[in-house]
Amino acid sequence: LTMASHTGTHIDAPYHFFADGRAPITWSDLQPHARQMREGVVVLLCTGWSRNWGKPGYSDHPFLDADAARRILETGVRVIGTDTLSPDEFTPDEGDTGKVHRIVLGQGGIIVENLTGLDKLVDSGWEAPVVSLLPLNLAGCDGSPVRAVA
């Protein structure tokens, strides 16, 4: 089996950035859920963007505001997942800006990208799903494909 470590649904490990949409998701969007954010909790951002997988413009996705990422980490959360290509803004000039990656991975956090089915969790009314993110056991890599289940 040969594939890139960032194939499909995958995690980004700190090693991805450190050797040792158009509308941002802001803290005001997330603040109603802040009471639930703490150590051991995974924050999943359901934007509905996964329906655009494989279509032109997939990289022009909603993104997480850098201040919101900092505030999420202040709660003790260390895993942020999204149904987009990246939690970062993508611009034609810069590509993926990497701002959220540097904040989250720089503090030892993990990012999960290209999740699917989050809308089904939201629509089901399930408020506190148990989430398992199962990466391959790879050493010295900057990421890994994952099996994500809830």
Side-chain angles (χ1 to χ4, degrees):
L1 175 66
T2 303
M3 70 174 75
S5 61
H6 299 270
T7 299
T9 301
H10 65 277
I11 62 167
D12 285 348
Y15 192 62
H16 183 46
F17 267 63
F18 299 93
D20 31 335
R22 289 298 69 200
I25 300 165
T26 65
W27 181 248
S28 64
D29 297 320
L30 301 173
Q31 198 165 13
H33 308 285
R35 290 188 333 269
Q36 298 167 293
M37 293 184 202
R38 62 186 171 283
E39 188 175 335
V41 168
V42 175
V43 170
L44 299 177
L45 304 173
C46 177
T47 68
W49 200 255
S50 62
R51 70 181 173 271
N52 296 310
W53 173 258
K55 294 180 183 174
Y58 181 68
S59 61
D60 189 23
H61 55 74
F63 58 93
L64 183 61
D65 176 74
D67 178 61
R70 277 190 213 84
R71 290 178 177 220
I72 290 170
L73 293 175
E74 287 171 3
T75 70
V77 169
R78 288 293 175 265
V79 181
I80 298 173
T82 184
D83 60 357
T84 62
L85 178 65
S86 169
D88 279 300
E89 181 177 15
F90 185 90
T91 67
D93 296 332
E94 296 179 72
D96 190 321
T97 62
K99 293 175 186 174
V100 172
H101 275 81
R102 286 180 182 84
I103 291 165
V104 176
L105 303 180
Q107 292 190 39
I110 301 293
I111 295 170
V112 186
E113 299 169 334
N114 289 323
L115 288 164
T116 62
L118 294 182
D119 51 338
K120 293 176 186 169
L121 288 177
V122 172
D123 292 344
S124 74
W126 200 1
E127 292 185 23
V130 175
V131 176
S132 294
L133 304 166
L134 309 167
L136 299 174
N137 185 13
L138 304 173
C141 289
D142 66 346
S144 170
V146 311
R147 176 72 172 178
V149 294

